[in-house]
Amino acid sequence: MKPAYDEMLDASGKVRPSYQGFADWLASTPADVIARKREEADIAFHRVGITFAVYGEDAGQERLIPFDIVPRIIPAQEWQLLADGLRQRVKALNAFLHDVYHGQEIIKAGRIPAAQILLNSQFREEMVGVDVPERIYCHIAGVDLVRAGEGEYYVLEDNLRTPSGVSYMLEDRRMMMRLFPELFARQAIAAVEHYPDLLLNNLRSVAPAGVANPNVVVLTPGQFNSAYFEHAFLAQQMGVELVDGNDLFVRGDMVFMRTTQGPLRVDVIYRRIDDDFLDPRAFRKDSMLGVPGLFSAYRAGNVTLANAVGTGIADDKAIYVHVPEMIRFYCGEEPILSNVPTWELSKPKDREHVLAHLAELVVKEVHGSGGYGMLVGPTASRAEIELFREKIVAAPQKYIAQPTLALSTCPTYVENGVAPRHVDLRPYVLSGKEITLVPGGLTRVALKEGSLVVNSSQGGGTKDTWVLEQ
């Protein structure tokens, strides 16, 4: 495998222009000062309670996501290309969602096999014919990007259901500005602090027709959810109520919130609950998290759910391979951002190739997330490879495979000082009357040497992402 693209140093070892200001600061700052700042950051994150839970571990166990004080820096021109590509991609994904729940023109045109959509577990028949405001299904998208080769960007996956992590993006920036104000004084770094305002405006823009002053709430499954900190954080930052299913009720196909002043109508719900648990009358009958009758109110057009029910069909990894074709079909354009080359294991030729090269590839469950349900061939044991071989042969449609990319590296503080570690990037794209995004996103870093898995649940950390304004 070729060496990974180094974001800070070029092939000759010279500092890239975007990192020069930081490199000069790093060279002139004593190591003990940096060590002290790192300790301050850890203490502050603990105090604020920026933690997450890991499913499968002891109940109630919380972890602090490691924060690295070396920023990931993106030049302005590079960011502009990414932003254009992200807007194009999310526009096509929203058009696809509207189409599959209405005319299904992309199926009729033979661009995507009908079975891949209609037989997919993420396709919600209940949404067929349901109209949503502005034809927007995915109001908040987190699109994972990686760099490989000579520094080309690729879309690794689209997170359209309940993408998380934006609270860490915001808190990482706050921490860097608090610890190193001199760095921000030296160069123009694009702001991200306005994200909660953008999010609120975006949510209000897709309220049901005729609602002049929409009431927005954040619906959480509760404090035992791994992302509960984020739910509470975003509600507080937007100045809206954080509610659980017991706080809401439906009457006359309208949603109301219980308050000390009596029922208050709710117009937009930013829901952080999976489809299955939203409404026990419409989906899982054993759900204690949702609101009975919510889907009926939604179908009637009296409340907006963000993201819409049924968005999962568009971020399923079996559908991911067709996004470039969606862009051509709905936008009449060539994709600005490329997918990672992907083998579909439901196809005999693809499956034959992958089974012969398992030790070299990454294999993923089409419904998997969080770094779970995947095989990283080059670092897997023979037993792990053989177990995955059996799984693929038994149910090939459940898997895709991709080459093992040498993800780009960014300098990172580790025990022995500064060393390169692999990173990815998750920008957050908001869709309403227009598509907006803050410059940058959440940079995740694989802290273990040689590891390509950046997920926090798998030992990854986060960095502040700087987009230079000039």
Side-chain angles (χ1 to χ4, degrees):
M1 188 185 295
K2 290 178 64 176
Y5 179 84
D6 190 310
E7 306 235 340
M8 183 170 174
L9 304 176
D10 65 20
S12 67
K14 185 179 178 184
V15 175
R16 299 185 191 279
S18 57
Y19 271 89
Q20 191 61 59
F22 178 80
D24 293 343
W25 173 87
L26 187 62
S28 63
T29 304
D32 63 316
V33 172
I34 293 174
R36 193 164 62 247
K37 295 290 189 181
R38 292 177 70 201
E39 287 177 17
E40 281 181 41
D42 281 349
I43 292 168
F45 276 130
H46 270 295
R47 187 179 298 129
V48 175
I50 306 174
T51 58
F52 72 103
V54 180
Y55 296 125
E57 294 194 349
D58 295 338
Q61 182 173 348
E62 297 282 318
R63 281 192 196 171
L64 185 75
I65 294 184
F67 167 68
D68 183 56
I69 61 172
V70 179
R72 198 258 188 92
I73 303 174
I74 300 174
Q77 189 174 0
E78 198 172 281
W79 172 251
Q80 188 57 56
L81 176 72
L82 292 180
D84 291 345
L86 290 164
R87 288 190 185 95
Q88 179 196 56
R89 191 173 182 97
V90 171
K91 179 182 177 182
L93 285 164
N94 269 310
F96 168 74
L97 284 162
H98 175 79
D99 184 28
V100 297
Y101 292 119
H102 289 80
Q104 300 183 347
E105 298 301 328
I106 200 164
I107 295 175
K108 293 172 184 173
R111 302 292 187 94
I112 301 178
Q116 282 206 321
I117 296 172
L118 304 180
L119 299 182
N120 192 300
S121 64
Q122 298 302 312
F123 178 74
R124 295 284 180 184
E125 287 190 25
E126 301 91 342
M127 285 296 293
V128 173
V130 176
D131 293 322
V132 299
E134 307 293 330
R135 294 188 174 184
I136 300 298
Y137 289 74
C138 178
H139 308 84
I140 304 101
V143 181
D144 290 347
L145 303 173
V146 295
R147 297 185 86 172
E150 301 302 317
E152 314 94 83
Y153 280 94
Y154 294 91
V155 176
L156 187 64
E157 61 183 53
D158 306 289
N159 298 281
L160 306 186
R161 279 170 271 190
T162 52
S164 61
V166 75
S167 57
Y168 304 111
M169 175 190 83
L170 295 169
E171 288 291 2
D172 287 355
R173 174 58 57 87
R174 286 184 182 178
M175 187 61 64
M176 288 296 286
M177 293 185 76
R178 172 181 163 184
L179 295 177
F180 307 112
E182 68 275 19
L183 279 171
F184 290 85
R186 289 184 181 189
Q187 51 196 328
I189 299 164
V192 299
E193 300 90 325
H194 59 297
Y195 176 85
D197 293 332
L198 270 183
L199 176 59
L200 181 59
N201 290 339
N202 189 73
L203 294 170
R204 290 170 63 92
S205 76
V206 291
V211 177
N213 188 27
N215 183 29
V216 177
V217 300
V218 176
L219 175 61
T220 178
Q223 61 183 354
F224 296 111
N225 183 268
S226 63
Y228 179 73
F229 165 80
E230 177 155 297
H231 308 165
F233 175 88
L234 288 174
Q236 187 268 331
Q237 292 291 305
M238 288 191 289
V240 305
E241 293 293 331
L242 178 69
V243 299
D244 61 28
N246 292 324
D247 296 318
L248 304 178
F249 67 92
V250 175
R251 181 188 297 158
D253 273 349
M254 293 188 182
V255 182
F256 296 89
M257 176 171 56
R258 295 180 173 90
T259 77
T260 54
Q261 282 79 42
L264 178 65
R265 184 175 169 186
V266 171
D267 306 295
V268 180
I269 300 175
Y270 177 22
R271 52 93 172 208
R272 299 297 292 257
I273 295 179
D274 291 341
D275 288 356
D276 283 339
F277 300 96
L278 272 175
D279 180 351
R281 292 182 189 167
F283 305 113
R284 281 186 56 157
K285 292 179 171 52
D286 61 345
S287 173
M288 304 293 289
L289 303 175
V291 184
L294 177 59
F295 190 66
S296 177
Y298 181 55
R299 285 185 63 100
N302 293 326
V303 68
T304 298
L305 295 177
N307 287 339
V309 174
T311 53
I313 186 64
D315 74 3
D316 183 272
K317 292 180 180 66
I319 297 297
Y320 157 90
V321 296
H322 300 292
V323 177
E325 195 58 33
M326 290 179 203
I327 292 170
R328 297 182 187 102
F329 186 75
Y330 297 113
C331 304
E333 302 167 353
E334 280 301 304
I336 296 170
L337 297 174
S338 298
N339 274 14
V340 175
T342 303
W343 290 276
E344 299 177 71
L345 301 196
S346 57
K347 295 180 175 178
K349 274 194 173 181
D350 284 13
R351 183 165 65 252
E352 182 182 340
H353 173 84
V354 169
L355 289 173
H357 297 86
L358 275 177
E360 306 159 26
L361 304 174
V362 176
V363 182
K364 301 177 181 178
E365 289 183 0
V366 295
H367 302 324
S369 63
Y372 297 105
M374 65 188 289
L375 173 79
V376 182
T379 61
S381 67
R382 184 173 294 180
E384 289 169 332
I385 289 172
E386 291 311 310
L387 177 62
F388 251 83
R389 185 186 305 279
E390 292 173 12
K391 289 181 176 180
I392 292 167
V393 171
Q397 74 281 1
K398 291 184 178 179
Y399 299 93
I400 61 164
Q402 295 172 330
T404 307
L405 298 177
L407 305 187
S408 64
T409 62
C410 186
T412 301
Y413 265 97
V414 293
E415 287 184 11
N416 300 325
V418 179
R421 290 293 184 266
H422 296 291
V423 293
D424 79 351
L425 176 65
R426 177 177 290 181
Y428 296 89
V429 187
L430 302 177
S431 300
K433 289 192 182 298
E434 56 187 41
I435 299 177
T436 56
L437 62 167
V438 296
L442 177 67
T443 289
R444 301 182 298 178
V445 54
L447 295 172
K448 297 175 186 173
E449 186 174 2
S451 174
L452 297 171
V453 182
V454 299
N455 303 79
S456 54
S457 55
Q458 306 286 307
T462 68
K463 292 171 169 285
D464 191 14
T465 309
W466 293 1
V467 172
L468 302 182
E469 291 193 311
Q470 55 195 23

